[in-house]
Amino acid sequence: MKLELFDLLDKEPIVIDGVGTLKPPTLREIKKLGDLYNLYVVLLLIHPKDYIKTFNLSNVYLDINTESLTIFDLIEENEDVARQYLSLFSFFFIEEVVFNKIFKNFILRNRDSIVGYIDKNNFEDIRNCIAQLNYLKTEEELKQPKFKGKKARQIAETIAKAKERSKKDNQNILELTLAQKISKYCADNKNGINLLNVFDMTVYQFYNQFIQHNYIKQCDLQNAIYANTVNITDIKTFDPNLWLK
């Protein structure tokens, strides 16, 4: 399930039909969570096999093919796993969330009225949506895409190579902690965002703007170099819309 960029850029809650209302977390809110937020990030991305290894459950699944297990299978069979995801859902949803041990699902309710459910059928979609709120790439997004024809594949491969080069060029930026990114962004921001108000931004807003800010700085540098080195006869090669790509 793909959330709309229009919604992700806003701070307003996002309604998921049949489930509940997602609350985009602010930097201030995740700061208060501390290490618990790091656990939530793990829970949003982790594969069942890795979960079993990370949380020392190997002895429980000695005679089971873990490749066929889903995270929701672990939730159904292990109360500790269910409690972890209950904590995660309780933070990201406005509604009260409870785990029904009989039906093995999460119930979202507003006072005495049931709003929706999270069960085996929609669990991965909801996990994916929450990951998007936190600017996280999910396993589904990282899968190799299917292409319609050779030309489409070639274009995609060219773009991928360009992104890889950009990733290598920005390795130092990628290795910055969130706190360091906040500090750098505020020190160089020209839009009125500073340490007095940056923590009111949602996690998605901050990462989106940090990446866009860095990209535009790169474009400005390229423009400056181009303006001072390129001959007028080569002006056709200049792309004034580079910063929009």
Side-chain angles (χ1 to χ4, degrees), residues 34-47:
D35 289 339
L36 184 56
Y37 178 71
N38 295 329
L39 173 62
Y40 289 163
V41 169
V42 170
L43 295 179
L44 289 172
L45 301 177
I46 199 165
H47 185 275

Side-chain angles (χ1 to χ4, degrees), residues 16-240:
I16 306 295
D17 291 337
V19 181
T21 311
L22 283 172
K23 176 183 65 175
T26 64
L27 293 175
R28 178 172 289 105
E29 288 170 329
I30 68 165
K31 177 177 176 289
K32 290 179 180 178
L33 284 180
D35 289 339
L36 184 56
Y37 178 71
N38 295 329
L39 173 62
Y40 289 163
V41 169
V42 170
L43 295 179
L44 289 172
L45 301 177
I46 199 165
H47 185 275
K49 189 175 181 179
D50 295 327
Y51 186 102
I52 291 170
K53 182 179 179 180
T54 302
F55 293 95
N56 300 317
L57 296 176
S58 299
N59 292 336
V60 180
Y61 297 96
L62 278 176
D63 301 321
I64 299 176
N65 180 14
T66 56
E67 294 293 340
S68 62
L69 286 175
T70 66
I71 289 292
F72 206 85
D73 288 330
L74 303 182
I75 290 173
E76 290 177 321
E77 298 169 9
N78 191 307
E79 288 188 10
D80 288 336
V81 183
R83 276 193 290 269
Q84 286 182 334
Y85 280 94
L86 175 61
S87 174
L88 181 147
F89 292 142
S90 296
F91 177 75
F92 287 103
F93 277 97
I94 289 177
E95 292 83 7
E96 177 189 9
V97 186
V98 297
F99 183 69
N100 188 313
K101 295 182 181 179
I102 298 175
F103 294 101
K104 303 294 184 181
N105 62 3
F106 296 93
I107 301 173
L108 287 85
R109 61 192 185 192
N110 189 358
R111 294 185 180 179
D112 295 327
S113 176
I114 293 178
V115 176
Y117 303 90
I118 300 174
D119 55 26
K120 197 161 191 171
N121 295 319
N122 65 3
F123 174 79
E124 286 301 334
D125 277 341
I126 301 307
R127 195 163 73 132
N128 183 287
C129 286
I130 299 175
Q132 291 174 59
L133 282 184
N134 292 274
Y135 217 90
L136 299 171
K137 290 290 185 181
T138 63
E139 186 177 278
E140 187 64 28
E141 291 176 287
L142 296 174
K143 287 181 179 178
Q144 186 70 22
K146 295 181 179 180
F147 304 101
K148 295 181 178 180
K150 183 178 179 180
K151 187 64 176 177
R153 177 179 291 278
Q154 290 175 339
I155 293 173
E157 289 174 350
T158 301
I159 294 173
K161 288 178 181 177
K163 287 182 176 179
E164 187 61 29
R165 286 195 299 270
S166 176
K167 181 178 178 180
K168 290 178 180 177
D169 292 340
N170 293 299
Q171 192 61 40
N172 290 334
I173 292 173
L174 294 172
E175 290 175 352
L176 292 176
T177 66
L178 176 57
Q180 289 172 324
K181 288 176 182 176
I182 291 172
S183 176
K184 296 287 185 185
Y185 180 69
C186 289
D188 191 50
N189 187 271
K190 308 298 190 299
N191 296 324
I193 300 297
N194 54 56
L195 292 177
L196 299 178
N197 56 25
V198 68
F199 287 94
D200 293 323
M201 297 179 74
T202 68
V203 174
Y204 189 93
Q205 286 174 337
F206 175 75
Y207 276 111
N208 174 274
Q209 291 300 286
F210 179 85
I211 291 171
Q212 293 293 343
H213 178 72
N214 181 58
Y215 180 69
I216 290 174
K217 279 178 68 68
Q218 292 181 41
C219 290
D220 288 343
L221 176 60
Q222 291 179 43
N223 291 345
I225 294 172
Y226 195 98
N228 288 281
T229 60
V230 177
N231 189 286
I232 189 65
T233 58
D234 298 323
I235 196 66
K236 291 181 180 180
T237 63
F238 178 66
D239 184 1

